[in-house]
Amino acid sequence: MVKHTSGNNEQNEKQFSRRDFLKTTGVAAGGIAGGALLGGLTGFQFGSDQQSETAETDTGGDTASGGEGGADAPEFAARTFISRQEDFAALAAATERIYPEDDNGPGAIELGVPYFIDRQLYGTWGTNGTDYRMGPFEPMASDTHGRQEKLTRGEMFILGIRRLREYAVEEHDEEFVKLDGDTQDEVLKAFESGDVEIPGMRAEAFFSLLRNTTIEGVYADPVYGGNKNMEGWKMIQYPGPRMGWMDKITSEEFVELEPESLRAYQGGGM
């Protein structure tokens, strides 16, 4: 890893913009406004010449044959949950506004976050397979009791993404992916503040789930499908999981380590 050093304040400020984002708008307080300050969309295009995929069910289906998002898609990219290309493109655009590319490094799309989310939704996490599911369900009490929606995470994402697309057309006469960055931020802020009606769940619950999962995709171990090439870790100089630190902890000098994924301890994969 190359340590970021600079002789001027401007470069130092840029170095910490990611961390400032997480502290002020990302994980704890949350918010799209801070993300909009960091940069715009990349030139990533999601297969505009592909036919829309349809499936017998709207919340699943192995679509690996049509899952490549474009020339810049991660090498592991293959959709397994989100069946419609238009839905996946809207998801990708939304994650990029939450975690955009900037001078410090790539944004959510280049890091593979949309595929990370799709992969998580396909498994037990997406079906809430290990959660208590018998109710009672009281969404309005979720500020003190956690998420209370009856829907699974997978259902929330599908309904939320499609409502995001509908709302963009209703308010701006254009698909979400075709709006400029500032207008996309306005749409996301409406969801964040709960100003959008979504049958079966609160808009702010969907936005919180989308934001948190985006951040998780940026910084989770690459074995889970995001954080491509450990670029998320490199931006914050995180060395990854290690078996031990005894050979480094007594060093009087600052120690820089190249990040290592869990793959380093799994013979190349999990």
Side-chain angles (χ1 to χ4, degrees), residues 40 64 76 101 128 145-146 178 186 218 239 263 266 268:
F76 52 75
E101 179 184 27
N128 293 72
H145 293 82
K178 295 182 179 179
E186 291 180 12
V218 171
R263 289 193 179 98
Q266 295 291 329

Side-chain angles (χ1 to χ4, degrees), residues 85-95 161 164-165 175-177:
Q85 174 67 17
E86 295 87 351
D87 292 343
F88 188 73
L91 168 65
T95 63
I161 292 168
L164 182 75
R165 294 177 56 204
E175 277 279 354
F176 182 79
V177 295

Side-chain angles (χ1 to χ4, degrees), residues 40 71 75 103 135 162 176 251:
E75 66 274 7
D103 292 340
R162 292 183 181 169
F176 182 79
S251 175

Side-chain angles (χ1 to χ4, degrees), residues 9-144:
N9 292 332
E10 180 179 358
Q11 290 181 339
N12 286 333
E13 289 174 359
K14 289 181 179 179
Q15 176 185 345
F16 292 100
S17 62
R18 288 283 194 196
R19 302 174 196 181
D20 293 340
F21 164 71
L22 292 175
K23 289 179 181 178
T24 59
T25 64
V27 176
I32 188 61
L37 300 175
L38 294 178
L41 289 169
T42 64
F44 196 98
Q45 297 295 323
F46 279 85
S48 58
D49 58 341
Q50 294 180 352
Q51 295 293 324
S52 301
E53 285 119 0
T54 58
E56 293 182 359
T57 61
D58 290 336
T59 59
D62 188 349
T63 58
S65 62
E68 302 81 13
D72 297 326
E75 66 274 7
F76 52 75
R79 296 203 314 276
T80 55
F81 181 82
I82 300 176
S83 61
R84 297 183 184 179
Q85 174 67 17
E86 295 87 351
D87 292 343
F88 188 73
L91 168 65
T95 63
E96 185 72 14
R97 293 311 300 166
I98 293 172
Y99 198 92
E101 179 184 27
D102 69 1
D103 292 340
N104 292 313
I109 289 178
E110 189 175 343
L111 289 168
V113 170
Y115 291 96
F116 165 84
I117 294 175
D118 179 78
R119 184 173 176 179
Q120 300 307 309
L121 294 176
Y122 184 72
T124 303
W125 183 83
T127 61
N128 293 72
T130 60
D131 295 354
Y132 179 80
R133 303 290 298 153
M134 298 302 292
F137 301 99
E138 301 179 6
M140 299 311 294
S142 64
D143 289 342
T144 56

